[in-house]
Amino acid sequence: MSIQKTLDGVSVATSANVYFDGKCVSHGVTLADGRKCTVGVILPSSLTFSTGAPEIMECTAGSCEYRLEGESDWKRSAAGEKFSIPGNAKFEIRVSGEPYSYICHFG
């Protein structure tokens, strides 16, 4: 799978979304076709997120381990890989070493 290096023809929110005391920072993006996503980075940490809509996390650099709500096993996601989270759910993410850069696709 190729890693997406650019997002062409987009609108970017200039105000950053800052979570967990700056351990996760993202910017909202509206794609040319109207779909929404965020582009961000998670610094080395262990965090728990809640979703509203379903999400697809696409890793563009670094790697993470994640565990979906109700599962016991951690899974790894690295550059060029994606994982899905259902809507109205929680998931844990662990980042060690280099930061985890991502695009989070909604819906």
Side-chain angles (χ1 to χ4, degrees), residues 11-19 24-30 37-40 102:
S11 174
V12 177
T14 58
S15 181
N17 304 305
V18 180
Y19 304 101
C24 177
V25 178
S26 68
H27 285 270
V29 174
T30 302
C37 65
T38 58
V39 175
Y102 66 90

Side-chain angles (χ1 to χ4, degrees), residues 17-26 41-43 47 49 102:
N17 304 305
V18 180
Y19 304 101
F20 303 103
D21 297 322
K23 293 180 180 99
C24 177
V25 178
S26 68
V41 64
I42 299 175
L43 301 177
L47 308 173
F49 288 90
Y102 66 90

Side-chain angles (χ1 to χ4, degrees), residues 23-85:
K23 293 180 180 99
C24 177
V25 178
S26 68
H27 285 270
V29 174
T30 302
L31 302 173
D33 64 5
R35 291 178 295 135
K36 299 201 183 284
C37 65
T38 58
V39 175
V41 64
I42 299 175
L43 301 177
S45 56
S46 293
L47 308 173
T48 301
F49 288 90
S50 297
T51 65
E55 299 180 1
I56 297 171
M57 294 289 286
E58 176 182 356
C59 181
T60 59
S63 65
C64 75
E65 293 181 306
Y66 67 94
R67 181 168 57 188
L68 301 178
E69 185 174 38
E71 294 185 1
S72 58
D73 294 333
W74 288 88
K75 296 177 182 143
R76 183 172 168 78
S77 181
E81 298 177 339
K82 300 177 183 181
F83 65 93
S84 298
I85 307 105

